[in-house]
Amino acid sequence: MTLRFLASPINPADINQIQGVYPSKPTWTTGLGTANPIAVGGNEGVAEVIALGEQAKSAGYKRGDWVIMKGPGFGTWRTHASATPSQVVKLEDAAREGITPIQAGTVSINPCTAYQMLKGFGELKEGQWFIQNGANSGVGRAAIQLGRVWGLKSVNVIRGRDDKEAEEKLKKSLKDIGADVVITDTELQAQGIKDQAKEWTNGGREPIQLGLNCVNGKAATAMAKLLASDSHFVTYGAMSKQPLTIPASMLIFKDIHFHGFWVSKWSEKFPDDKKKAVEEVLELIRKGEFKDTPVDEIKWEWETKGEELIAKVKDTLEGYREGKGVFVFGKT
Amino acid sequence: MTLRFLASPINPADINQIQGVYPSKPTWTTGLGTANPIAVGGNEGVAEVIALGEQAKSAGYKRGDWVIMKGPGFGTWRTHASATPSQVVKLEDAAREGITPIQAGTVSINPCTAYQMLKGFGELKEGQWFIQNGANSGVGRAAIQLGRVWGLKSVNVIRGRDDKEAEEKLKKSLKDIGADVVITDTELQAQGIKDQAKEWTNGGREPIQLGLNCVNGKAATAMAKLLASDSHFVTYGAMSKQPLTIPASMLIFKDIHFHGFWVSKWSEKFPDDKKKAVEEVLELIRKGEFKDTPVDEIKWEWETKGEELIAKVKDTLEGYREGKGVFVFGKT
């Protein structure tokens, strides 16, 4: 089938992939007319089916269908592509009703990461607590909102800002979408944090039983110290570029279990679970219960120059930007 | 009921408890005739029932029965004690047949730790591999032997010795009880170890799926690097007094799960499982399939001076001794 892309985000993992430090490799090909094999960047996105053959028809596809990528490595930073049904997942008509291309194009990675980390470790029940760092990231905001919908309570750690007004504004924005407690990494590592955590959690009677970590280093160890015995701690990123350091007593006596989570692997291993997660999140978006992460729309029209697009990727590569960059394709 | 102790070992955890750095506290009492509460050291041991009241009788006890401690904190470094049935576990007559007091008195902690770590994480099946450090410790030797009996294969890491002849002798002694591979920590951290591990494990077709760690620090991280994806790594000690440092990729991309194990907590939570483990190990001892760890017998007779006993405890406190110290009580 032939696809026309509608929206494709720039995720940190895409950058790592280009840098060659990501274990999942892109697809190299000479099929795009180059003498030497090249690869197209981008792992996430939504596309419209604009033409299809017998194989796609008998698999139930029709013109105008929206598809997302089944796994990583497809190369979504392009206007058009040809694909086989095995490379994509169809968004059913009911699922995409009222959903914008940006929403559909960014649902596979961040919201699904938050979804599965909250569901897959320790079976949190209504009223129970989790703690996370990087809480204003795409995954962080998704976890806050899914947690709120599922009746979970959250302690959210953000990096402190020099601009205290901006910091307060950020804290408020996370509380607005459902964060119960928001603190900075400095507050997390201050003395007396254990007593404070007790206060938040009804005198410790509602223990914190899950930690979600995308930072690593000292701040992650400090976060793990607030967990109750027999909790789970899930690492899905390492923004500090530090390893995770765990005191022996946290393993032996507190019996905390340390895991990692990689959404690509999960998607490949459990495609049906991923489809379910995607549909559930889209349904929440439709009902207004799940707000988009702030995005920076990057128009990709017929006349857009390659250099402009490359510059936008470099912006992400070089670090901090408020809002995730998303290529939004013109109808060409 | 009144107990007469037969054999009580000196375990490293007993020392930590005296030092006040162990989370499980001893039982403080004035019942031994002191003005201020005191506590008796020792957490493991076997005792004979020498007198009993109605409560113990109706719980099925009789004179001459052997009992081990149900949980930690009883205080086993003493000749006699009174206990309630809830504090002890009876060794059935069949279970203690042909078993020496030293064997019965040392079965609860080290062999049970090895037993449950091999059983409880990742469900290893016949022919599968585990790797462990501190392989010549009591737990290490128990893991080698239980592994051999259950058809598991093991890579065993020991500290290198300056005396190479002694090192070879130690390697051989572990192979004699069933170790498939024995290497030193230096060999573990040398280049080319991954290729070597492939050779041991049939070209990597028999991946190493479980790690048992009582060392921590760099040597533990090096050991975790030999594990296959989705393996489990269990920490039960930290002889290096270092934390465990985990690179993010080991969590996220290799999906290794890091746990701790504390035999005291497990015993309290699953007393029936512990009883089963004890009986299974005693049965193996009886059949000659499980050899005792080398012990250093410390006679505790009527005429033994307190200072002599204290000196023996200090020996253990100050570090290295070949063979575990075990108090063996004279019939007084």
Side-chain angles (χ1 to χ4, degrees):
Chain A
M1 62 182 92
T2 304
L3 304 179
R4 181 176 81 80
F5 273 92
L6 303 172
S8 303
I10 306 171
N11 284 307
D14 303 330
I15 304 296
N16 297 338
Q17 195 178 51
I18 293 168
Q19 293 169 325
V21 295
Y22 197 65
S24 142
K25 303 297 171 211
T27 312
W28 295 89
T29 177
T30 53
L32 296 168
T34 55
N36 294 318
I38 60 160
V40 175
N43 292 279
E44 188 180 22
V46 64
E48 184 188 347
V49 177
I50 57 171
L52 67 176
E54 286 313 314
Q55 194 199 358
K57 272 182 198 159
S58 63
Y61 286 88
K62 59 181 191 305
R63 276 188 59 175
D65 277 347
W66 283 12
V67 296
I68 58 175
M69 305 305 108
K70 196 163 195 170
F74 184 87
T76 58
W77 297 349
R78 55 172 138 192
T79 56
H80 296 80
S82 68
T84 63
S86 67
Q87 293 178 294
V88 295
V89 175
K90 181 174 160 177
L91 291 184
E92 303 297 340
D93 292 348
R96 64 175 253 212
E97 205 191 301
I99 298 298
T100 68
I102 289 180
Q103 290 166 338
T106 58
V107 75
S108 298
I109 294 189
N110 288 346
C112 283
T113 298
Y115 182 102
Q116 187 54 23
M117 290 195 301
L118 289 177
K119 286 267 187 193
F121 299 91
E123 297 174 26
L124 256 61
K125 282 170 206 65
E126 227 180 292
Q128 295 187 322
W129 287 80
F130 67 94
I131 185 166
Q132 65 169 343
N133 53 30
N136 58 321
S137 68
V139 173
R141 285 168 192 266
I144 291 169
Q145 299 185 80
L146 290 171
R148 191 201 67 233
V149 170
W150 296 338
L152 307 179
K153 296 176 182 170
S154 59
V155 177
N156 297 276
V157 185
I158 57 170
R159 276 180 307 174
R161 315 273 149 145
D162 291 335
D163 178 349
K164 288 300 153 194
E165 204 175 313
E167 185 177 296
E168 280 312 311
K169 210 173 135 197
L170 179 56
K171 282 186 173 181
K172 185 174 177 307
S173 78
L174 298 184
K175 284 186 179 162
D176 286 346
I177 59 171
D180 295 278
V181 175
V182 186
I183 56 173
T184 65
D185 46 2
T186 316
E187 288 165 343
L188 172 70
Q189 294 178 65
Q191 279 212 325
I193 184 68
K194 280 209 169 180
D195 294 333
Q196 269 200 291
K198 249 191 179 168
E199 270 176 43
W200 301 327
T201 57
N202 190 15
R205 278 183 292 280
E206 299 167 358
I208 306 175
Q209 292 178 294
L210 177 67
L212 308 182
N213 164 43
C214 64
V215 173
N216 262 10
K218 273 187 196 171
T221 310
M223 191 167 83
K225 283 187 183 150
L226 296 187
L227 292 175
S229 288
D230 204 15
S231 296
H232 295 266
F233 187 93
V234 188
T235 295
Y236 67 97
M239 291 193 320
S240 70
K241 300 196 201 273
Q242 297 292 315
L244 183 63
T245 301
I246 312 174
S249 60
M250 209 179 258
L251 289 159
I252 303 173
F253 303 130
K254 276 197 79 181
D255 202 16
I256 313 248
H257 306 269
F258 292 85
H259 314 269
F261 183 75
W262 187 20
V263 70
S264 302
K265 197 176 196 181
W266 172 73
S267 305
E268 280 180 353
K269 241 173 143 176
F270 305 104
D272 294 342
D273 289 4
K274 185 197 163 179
K275 195 169 197 288
K276 190 173 163 289
V278 164
E279 288 173 0
E280 216 172 309
V281 174
L282 292 179
E283 174 69 19
L284 291 172
I285 292 176
R286 200 163 19 247
K287 291 197 291 186
E289 294 181 12
F290 189 100
K291 299 267 175 275
D292 306 355
T293 298
V295 300
D296 175 8
E297 280 188 47
I298 306 162
K299 297 271 180 228
W300 184 328
E301 312 280 355
W302 179 252
E303 59 279 7
T304 311
K305 297 268 178 295
E307 301 87 77
E308 292 173 39
L309 300 170
I310 291 170
K312 290 292 186 179
V313 173
K314 282 196 176 150
D315 273 6
T316 299
L317 191 150
E318 273 151 21
Y320 200 67
R321 70 152 84 216
E322 285 286 351
K324 176 208 284 278
V326 182
F327 293 121
V328 180
F329 299 88
K331 194 154 187 174
T332 52
Chain B
M1 63 182 91
T2 305
L3 304 179
R4 180 178 81 81
F5 274 91
L6 304 173
S8 302
I10 306 171
N11 284 307
D14 302 331
I15 304 296
N16 296 338
Q17 193 179 52
I18 294 168
Q19 292 169 327
V21 295
Y22 197 65
S24 145
K25 304 297 170 209
T27 311
W28 296 89
T29 176
T30 53
L32 297 168
T34 55
N36 294 317
I38 60 160
V40 175
N43 291 280
E44 189 180 20
V46 63
E48 183 187 348
V49 177
I50 57 172
L52 67 177
E54 286 314 312
Q55 193 198 1
K57 271 182 198 158
S58 63
Y61 285 88
K62 59 182 191 306
R63 275 189 60 177
D65 277 345
W66 281 13
V67 296
I68 59 175
M69 305 305 109
K70 194 164 197 171
F74 184 87
T76 58
W77 297 347
R78 55 172 137 193
T79 55
H80 296 81
S82 67
T84 63
S86 66
Q87 293 178 294
V88 295
V89 175
K90 181 173 159 177
L91 291 184
E92 304 299 338
D93 292 348
R96 64 176 254 213
E97 205 192 301
I99 299 296
T100 69
I102 290 181
Q103 289 166 337
T106 58
V107 75
S108 297
I109 294 188
N110 289 346
C112 282
T113 298
Y115 182 101
Q116 187 54 25
M117 290 196 302
L118 289 178
K119 285 266 187 194
F121 299 90
E123 296 174 26
L124 256 62
K125 282 168 207 68
E126 227 181 292
Q128 295 187 321
W129 287 81
F130 68 93
I131 185 166
Q132 65 169 343
N133 53 30
N136 58 320
S137 69
V139 173
R141 285 168 191 266
I144 291 169
Q145 299 186 81
L146 290 171
R148 190 201 68 233
V149 169
W150 296 336
L152 307 178
K153 296 175 182 170
S154 59
V155 177
N156 297 277
V157 185
I158 56 169
R159 278 180 305 175
R161 316 274 150 146
D162 291 334
D163 178 347
K164 288 300 152 193
E165 202 176 315
E167 187 178 295
E168 281 310 311
K169 208 172 139 197
L170 179 56
K171 282 186 173 181
K172 185 174 178 308
S173 78
L174 298 184
K175 284 187 180 164
D176 286 345
I177 59 172
D180 294 278
V181 175
V182 187
I183 56 174
T184 65
D185 47 2
T186 315
E187 288 165 342
L188 172 69
Q189 294 180 64
Q191 279 211 325
I193 184 70
K194 280 207 170 180
D195 293 331
Q196 269 201 291
K198 250 190 178 170
E199 270 175 44
W200 300 328
T201 58
N202 190 14
R205 279 182 290 279
E206 299 167 359
I208 306 176
Q209 294 179 295
L210 177 66
L212 308 181
N213 165 42
C214 65
V215 173
N216 261 10
K218 273 187 196 170
T221 310
M223 192 167 82
K225 283 187 183 150
L226 296 187
L227 291 175
S229 287
D230 204 15
S231 295
H232 295 266
F233 187 94
V234 187
T235 295
Y236 66 98
M239 290 193 321
S240 71
K241 298 193 203 275
Q242 296 293 314
L244 183 63
T245 301
I246 312 175
S249 60
M250 210 179 256
L251 289 159
I252 304 172
F253 303 130
K254 275 198 80 180
D255 202 16
I256 313 249
H257 305 269
F258 292 84
H259 314 269
F261 184 76
W262 187 21
V263 71
S264 302
K265 197 174 196 183
W266 171 73
S267 305
E268 278 179 356
K269 242 172 144 176
F270 306 103
D272 293 341
D273 289 3
K274 186 197 163 178
K275 194 169 198 283
K276 190 174 161 289
V278 164
E279 287 174 1
E280 216 171 309
V281 173
L282 292 180
E283 175 67 20
L284 291 173
I285 293 175
R286 197 160 27 244
K287 291 199 291 186
E289 295 180 11
F290 189 100
K291 299 267 174 276
D292 306 355
T293 298
V295 300
D296 174 12
E297 279 188 49
I298 307 162
K299 297 270 178 228
W300 184 327
E301 312 279 355
W302 180 252
E303 60 277 6
T304 312
K305 298 268 177 296
E307 302 89 77
E308 293 173 39
L309 299 171
I310 291 170
K312 290 293 185 178
V313 173
K314 281 196 175 150
D315 272 4
T316 298
L317 191 149
E318 273 152 22
Y320 200 66
R321 71 150 86 215
E322 287 284 352
K324 178 207 282 279
V326 182
F327 293 121
V328 180
F329 300 89
K331 193 152 188 174
T332 51

